[in-house]
Amino acid sequence: MFRSQQHREKAAAYGELIKHSSGQGESDEFQKLRDRHSALADNEQGLADDYDSAVNAAEQDRARGLALAAEEEHVLRCLGAAVIMQWNALPKTLQREIFDTAGSVGELLETAALRGQIARFLHKHKNDAGRKKASTEDAHRDAKSRAAALSRWDDEGGAVPDGLPR
């Protein structure tokens, strides 16, 4: 199969033959061959350029996708941090809904482990936002809610036996 450069060389050779041709018919035939090889060279070059553009576009799309994924991850981290910072101020029903939704994200077989991780995280960081309860009644309700969440977590297999990595 001819490459672009080979077609250009062939077209140049026919150009030389045109200069040294003896008759109009022979000159016309060489002209047609020269034009044909020039067109083939242009087509071959166009195909090569299109291929390079397609490969580069795929790489650019992949890089753009990675940048978008990194940006989305950053946004999700910020949103998650904002929710955690406001966790104690959220109504209990909303806390439960967020906990249930977050616990169901990911692989189905890892749901119990994820819910356990979330429960441990929330328990560990429950006072990080610096929120103070308005009354002992609210504190008592929170303790009951967390105890219920930990109980559900244990019931769902979230507890890790001693000696195993967490």
Side-chain angles (χ1 to χ4, degrees), residues 142-155:
D142 280 352
K144 285 174 72 177
S145 175
R146 284 194 181 87
L150 287 174
S151 175
R152 277 192 308 276
W153 167 59
D154 284 335
D155 291 343

Side-chain angles (χ1 to χ4, degrees), residues 13-85:
Y14 283 118
E16 287 300 314
L17 290 174
I18 292 171
K19 292 179 187 175
H20 304 298
S21 63
S22 58
Q24 186 61 32
E26 186 179 46
S27 177
D28 289 344
E29 187 64 30
F30 289 146
Q31 180 70 35
K32 285 180 189 176
L33 289 170
R34 184 185 75 177
D35 292 346
R36 176 166 166 70
H37 280 284
S38 291
L40 287 172
D42 292 342
N43 287 342
E44 191 71 33
Q45 186 63 48
L47 287 172
D49 292 345
D50 289 346
Y51 175 79
D52 289 341
S53 294
V55 169
N56 288 336
E59 289 174 6
Q60 289 172 351
D61 287 347
R62 188 172 26 255
R64 200 174 307 120
L66 290 174
L68 183 59
E71 179 182 331
E72 287 176 353
E73 182 180 345
H74 177 71
V75 168
L76 288 173
R77 285 177 183 267
C78 290
L79 284 170
V83 168
I84 295 303
M85 290 184 338

Side-chain angles (χ1 to χ4, degrees), residues 69-120:
E71 179 182 331
E72 287 176 353
E73 182 180 345
H74 177 71
V75 168
L76 288 173
R77 285 177 183 267
C78 290
L79 284 170
V83 168
I84 295 303
M85 290 184 338
Q86 298 297 321
W87 188 259
N88 292 335
L90 297 175
K92 298 301 171 211
T93 55
L94 184 55
Q95 287 180 355
R96 178 66 186 165
E97 224 174 289
I98 292 171
F99 178 83
D100 288 341
T101 303
S104 66
V105 175
E107 299 294 325
L108 183 61
L109 295 175
E110 298 172 359
T111 299
L114 178 59
R115 290 173 66 92
Q117 287 175 328
I118 293 169
R120 284 190 301 274

